[in-house]
Amino acid sequence: MNWQAISFDWNQVRAFLATAEEGSFSGAARVLKTTQPTVGRQIGGLEEALGVTLVERSVRGLTLTEAGRDLLDHVRAMGEAATLISMVADGVSQDVSGEVTVTGTDLLSAVILPGVLKPLREAAPGIRVRILASSEMENLMQRDADIAIRHVRPAQPDLIARHLGDFRANLYAASDYLDRAGRPRTARDIADHDFVGNADPDRLMAPLHNMGVPVRPESFVMSSANGIVAWELLKAGFGVSMLPEALADAEPGLEQVLPGFPSLEFPIWLVTHRELQTSRRIRVVFDLLARGLAERVGRKSRSA
């Protein structure tokens, strides 16, 4: 261990992390329960200690410099380690127990949540997670779930929502399908292909039309209200579909249709009850989901 290289103050690091996560000095001050000038001084002290500029200030708000972006992943790892240390120190790992129900779409629940939730077994082994694969916001209002992962911000005042970032979605198809049907060279060419749809294929038609792809209802040769079924149909080579790149880019056998074609973006919101303020087990799971999902969307987490 090079002790001489560790010359910064953890409070300064914490101020930088909170500012990056919340997107502003005022947001960082709110979650750290301090003042905005204090946060600014702490980040200035960290910049001086490291000899780099981490944050650029302008009339449009705060942006991270290249050095700040490079540092952010390491600082997040420090924050997660500090959280685990605190949990072990006060006995949370053993004392927090009980069930927490998390709801998300079926595809997200099956493909993304297992990896995101894996650290929970080490951090809080007494917590049992029940996953409810559903897209209905009523799951929260009827108390069927404690935490929901949704693509729209809830309007109900009794719910707490945090915007974690935006998934980028692109058109994908199985390579063997494109080998048979041909690889489109223009947006208009895409409309001549077969499509795999989800619960409501018509919802995809409007944005595709706006992007120059005149897809027709009869183009959807396969569809399913179940996202996992639609996912398997796509992998089996039935046609083209719009999918988050966080999923499709990692799947062997799939490739992006017409690379360079504009992406769609849709938000990821983490939603829970006001009980988050008083329930340790919900707080532990909520914070872990916020970190894990924000990493996968590749954007900093922002509070609502």
Side-chain angles (χ1 to χ4, degrees), residues 107-125:
L107 186 57
L108 183 144
S109 297
V111 180
I112 291 183
L113 280 188
V116 172
L117 289 170
K118 192 172 184 179
L120 184 68
R121 297 303 304 148
E122 178 182 353

Side-chain angles (χ1 to χ4, degrees), residues 25-62:
F25 286 158
S26 59
R30 183 175 62 254
V31 298
L32 295 177
K33 295 180 171 57
T34 186
T35 64
Q36 186 172 336
T38 297
V39 171
R41 286 195 299 270
Q42 288 175 327
I43 292 179
L46 180 62
E47 291 176 326
E48 183 176 353
L50 298 178
V52 295
T53 300
L54 301 173
V55 176
E56 292 180 340
R57 305 153 180 85
S58 69
V59 294
R60 298 170 59 184
L62 298 180

Side-chain angles (χ1 to χ4, degrees), residues 178-198:
L178 293 174
D179 289 341
R180 298 192 312 269
R183 287 167 174 78
R185 297 183 178 181
T186 68
R188 184 168 293 276
D189 291 343
I190 300 174
D192 295 328
H193 283 262
D194 294 335
F195 276 75
V196 174
N198 54 21

Side-chain angles (χ1 to χ4, degrees), residues 95-230:
D95 294 343
V96 174
S97 61
E99 185 176 270
V100 176
T101 301
V102 178
T103 180
T105 64
D106 41 20
L107 186 57
L108 183 144
S109 297
V111 180
I112 291 183
L113 280 188
V116 172
L117 289 170
K118 192 172 184 179
L120 184 68
R121 297 303 304 148
E122 178 182 353
I127 294 178
R128 307 182 309 277
V129 176
R130 183 170 68 93
I131 296 177
L132 176 62
S134 171
S135 302
E136 300 298 326
M137 189 61 73
E138 287 74 11
N139 296 139
L140 280 177
M141 300 308 298
Q142 296 172 3
R143 306 307 295 248
D144 292 330
D146 300 302
I147 301 172
I149 304 161
R150 294 293 180 254
H151 299 316
V152 294
R153 183 175 186 171
Q156 297 87 342
D158 293 335
L159 299 179
I160 296 173
R162 180 181 297 180
H163 179 213
L164 303 180
D166 299 301
F167 269 133
R168 287 166 52 91
N170 300 308
L171 291 172
Y172 291 90
S175 295
D176 61 355
Y177 166 80
L178 293 174
D179 289 341
R180 298 192 312 269
R183 287 167 174 78
R185 297 183 178 181
T186 68
R188 184 168 293 276
D189 291 343
I190 300 174
D192 295 328
H193 283 262
D194 294 335
F195 276 75
V196 174
N198 54 21
D200 185 9
D202 289 346
R203 293 183 60 184
L204 180 59
M205 291 177 60
L208 285 176
H209 285 177
N210 293 336
M211 299 163 80
V213 182
V215 65
R216 304 172 301 280
E218 54 269 26
S219 299
F220 292 88
V221 299
M222 289 282 177
S223 62
S224 174
N226 185 299
I228 299 173
V229 173

